[in-house]
Amino acid sequence: MIRRTHHRAVRLLLPGLLAAAVTAAPELASASAEPQPSHGIAMHGDVKEPPDFTHFGYANPDAPKGGWIGISVVGSFDTLNPFTVTGQEARNLSGYVFQPLLARSLGEPFALYPLIAESVTMPEDRSWIEFTIDARARFSDGEPVTVDDVIASWRLLRDRGRPNHRSYYALVDSARATGERSVRFSFSPEAEREMPLIMGLMPVLPSHVYNVETFDKLGLSPPVGTGPYVVSNVARGRSITLTRQKDWWGNDLPATSGQYNFDTIRYEYFRDQETALEAFRKGIIDFREEEDPSRWALSYDFPAARRGEIVKEALPNGAPRGMSAFVFNTRRAPFGDIRVREGLSLLFPGAWVNRAYYRDLYERTDSFFDGSELSAEGRPATDHERELLAPWIDEVPQRVLEGDLGGQRRGADDRRALREALRLLKAGGFELRDGRLVNAETGERMSFEILVATREHERLALAFSRALDRAGIEARVRSVDSAQYQRRKQSYDFDVTHHFWFSSLSPGNEQRFYWGSAAADQPGTRNYMGVTSPGIDATIDALLAAHDRDDFVTAVRALDRLLVSGHYVVPLFHRPSHWVAYQERFAHPETPPLYGYALETWWDRTAEEDTKP
């Protein structure tokens, strides 16, 4: 169960955040006592698309079907079940093989449209939601999707799913059939306003295939889902091939029109990015997203590229950049002391790394919602936001309240950063003795391990380690395989590690999973740093309770300031846009999604030739 801390404080401080408002599609905004079925629901405001829309604006309904694409993945996998914490799942099974009741639009902050459910009904108070299943919906084995499947999926994920599934779906008080093809979920009083949308994103699993006894033990058994693809070939840890069902039941839906165009999608797994790049250069891989600026600048001048067979393109991204960072595990000493965390953060040689490794093409990340309206960077706290932060205002430095989230880190050269870091570390109980930073009471040297799984992160960790060594700190870099890396992260068995938190324009309940106190000691969450902050809990409550976009943005910015002020991570870098390289035979729509490119909207111009490698 998700705990709602400081709810009363938020209610008193932000009455505007809790005012009544309707945020579903226009059909639900009527004054009728009985809610009417709708073609879509949104978190804030109305859905963008009209009831008679035929396709999303970022998809080309005339895109040809067919052809193939090979994509590289760095890492490994040992399971085809993406819904448990047991093992490392293969790439992109969710969305391609398994699908939810409603489809998320990539052109809006948070809006859902019919997929497995052909319509949705929801009252103004969002106390329940009812889905009517499309009579055409089928699993890949040909069996129809039934109300029983939907209810069984909810129970299975609630009892045996990932921790976030268990927390969300436990907020459903009851699930019952209201017709031959309709099912209603009623929510507990603790459920937030986002719960109807969370239920809309619930994957539907076949009850005749998956059961409670075996669900979290599934390995490489071929999965059965409702999506457009089936798994046709698997080499454990090395490759997985998805094949499109040409008679897929959802081909003609507005939310899927112009999407899922490739007949074959092959994911090849590599240990590191250099090997993956070499596979692309040799034509083994057809598409590649580049993350390293040095490789982007220098490594794409090869014969096929010079012949014009490779397209190199920077694609826009309107979403928050997310947070890539080294994470301090505050469950372990000495990282429970904010002064120690801040001091260690100042020692990361960010300017040098960007210049030496990335040719200054990266940007240093300052905000957990960098690059979007949700970021507090450069935006002084408003009166409304200060009211929300009032009980914890002493935890937020003045410069952060004024919108300067990374100024101290950016403004210091190596010498001044070292002096300030040593001052903070001394305040945290450590001092220099004979060139070694030791605990002032015990004389024990500060020593910890940085856990990584890729060569890129190992390179960053080694740069950090060298900088720490100059301050008398011993930081050992430990590189492990991806499966061990995931296991250790999921059980919080690390001192410092790397993680990337994806961020959207409509953050919601997953924020509890990322930063909520209740998630701090629950294995398998993404609260890797172990945050237990009443202020962070309250701002998450506020953003979940917001009824309009302005109040929502205010709450997210307050959360951003508290996260930055806690120095839980050492922020790294982000790309100013998506860098992609691909075979010239591929094409994509002219209008990109708000969240950046989506491969499901791309196509193979040679598809009509119906050839494969």
Side-chain angles (χ1 to χ4, degrees), residues 337-401:
D337 192 312
I338 189 174
R339 297 165 297 184
V340 172
R341 298 196 300 270
E342 183 177 5
L344 294 174
S345 296
L346 285 173
L347 293 174
F348 182 76
W352 181 86
V353 167
N354 198 13
R355 182 174 62 254
Y357 292 171
Y358 305 134
R359 303 171 65 87
D360 281 329
L361 293 176
Y362 262 164
E363 296 177 1
R364 188 79 188 269
T365 303
D366 291 327
S367 161
F368 284 76
F369 303 92
D370 219 314
S372 75
E373 65 170 341
L374 302 179
S375 171
E377 174 67 19
R379 298 181 174 94
T382 62
D383 291 343
H384 197 188
E385 190 181 341
R386 285 177 180 270
E387 289 178 3
L388 175 56
L389 290 169
W392 309 280
I393 201 74
D394 292 340
E395 300 177 16
V396 185
Q398 184 61 34
R399 62 177 179 80
V400 175
L401 284 174

Side-chain angles (χ1 to χ4, degrees), residues 69-73 77 90-93 96 233 235 237-242 264-270 285 599:
I69 185 170
I71 303 170
S72 62
V73 182
F77 69 94
R91 178 67 60 90
N92 269 359
L93 294 178
Y96 283 75
N233 189 53
R238 300 198 308 272
S239 70
I240 180 170
T241 302
L242 306 182
T264 304
I265 303 174
R266 187 182 73 257
Y267 295 99
E268 295 282 351
Y269 284 73
F270 300 91
I285 295 301
L599 273 181

Side-chain angles (χ1 to χ4, degrees), residues 454-477:
T454 68
R455 289 187 179 180
E456 284 70 27
H457 296 152
E458 182 179 30
R459 181 171 67 161
L460 290 171
L462 288 170
F464 193 15
S465 176
R466 289 191 293 268
L468 292 167
D469 183 65
R470 289 194 290 271
I473 301 166
E474 180 186 42
R476 305 174 305 280
V477 178

Side-chain angles (χ1 to χ4, degrees), residues 1 154 158 167-175 184-188 191 195 199:
M1 185 68 68
W154 161 66
R158 180 197 62 187
S167 296
Y168 299 156
Y169 301 148
L171 294 174
V172 175
D173 265 351
S174 66
R184 178 178 296 189
F185 293 97
S186 299
F187 306 122
S188 73
M195 270 304 297
M199 295 310 299

